[in-house]
Amino acid sequence: MPNPATPNTTERSDTVHLRNSPDLIQPPGHYSHVAIHGDLVYVSGQLPVDQHGTALSDQAFDVQARQVLHNLDRCLIAAGTDRSRLVSVTVYVTDIGQWPAFDAIYADWIGQHRPARAVTGASQLHYGAAVEVQAAAALS
């Protein structure tokens, strides 16, 4: 049993590092693309918006899903990690009937790696998007 009078000698950093991907538009709201704390990277929700800031909401679901995953890759790279280090992924879709389509695109994108994941239906997403993804990853 640990002695509360004995200080913990494990070093830790309470510093939070905030970063934005140079490959994406700067966040239009009050947030950063990624927040890094300790050995974990938290990626803000990524929408189907291209590098010029154009929302792809009028495009087919598969185009939107691939753009979201592309944006997630860019955020992970900016944080110094990659999709093979994903720990948890949360997916929001406005039509839960699109879950099988997303799952197929996601499986092709991520390969054999199978981080924890949740897929949930949302009544609407910003810009009229059909899909949004947020994630957490370990640093490489």
Side-chain angles (χ1 to χ4, degrees):
M1 176 174 237
N3 180 346
T6 305
N8 184 348
T9 57
T10 304
E11 289 185 38
R12 74 181 191 132
S13 171
D14 288 330
T15 304
V16 175
H17 301 278
L18 305 174
R19 294 193 186 148
N20 292 318
S21 171
D23 299 325
L24 302 174
I25 63 160
Q26 294 303 295
H30 193 77
Y31 65 94
S32 297
H33 289 143
V34 298
I36 303 165
H37 183 258
D39 292 333
L40 285 176
V41 175
Y42 302 89
V43 181
S44 293
Q46 295 301 303
L47 292 161
V49 176
D50 71 14
Q51 70 274 15
H52 305 293
T54 303
L56 304 181
S57 304
D58 61 343
Q59 299 293 312
F61 181 84
D62 65 315
V63 172
Q64 292 188 48
R66 284 184 179 86
Q67 183 67 51
V68 164
L69 296 173
H70 171 80
N71 293 352
L72 178 55
D73 271 336
R74 303 284 70 79
C75 291
L76 293 168
I77 290 167
T81 192
D82 62 52
R83 68 179 86 150
S84 72
R85 304 287 291 162
L86 283 166
V87 174
S88 180
V89 177
T90 303
V91 182
Y92 304 92
V93 292
T94 56
D95 177 358
I96 202 69
Q98 293 288 2
W99 183 86
F102 182 83
D103 192 55
I105 293 165
Y106 178 84
D108 184 55
W109 174 78
I110 202 160
Q112 294 301 310
H113 184 53
R114 291 177 177 245
R117 188 181 78 183
V119 178
T120 185
S123 62
Q124 64 184 48
L125 296 169
H126 198 51
Y127 304 121
V131 61
E132 181 174 357
V133 174
Q134 70 179 34
L139 283 175
S140 299

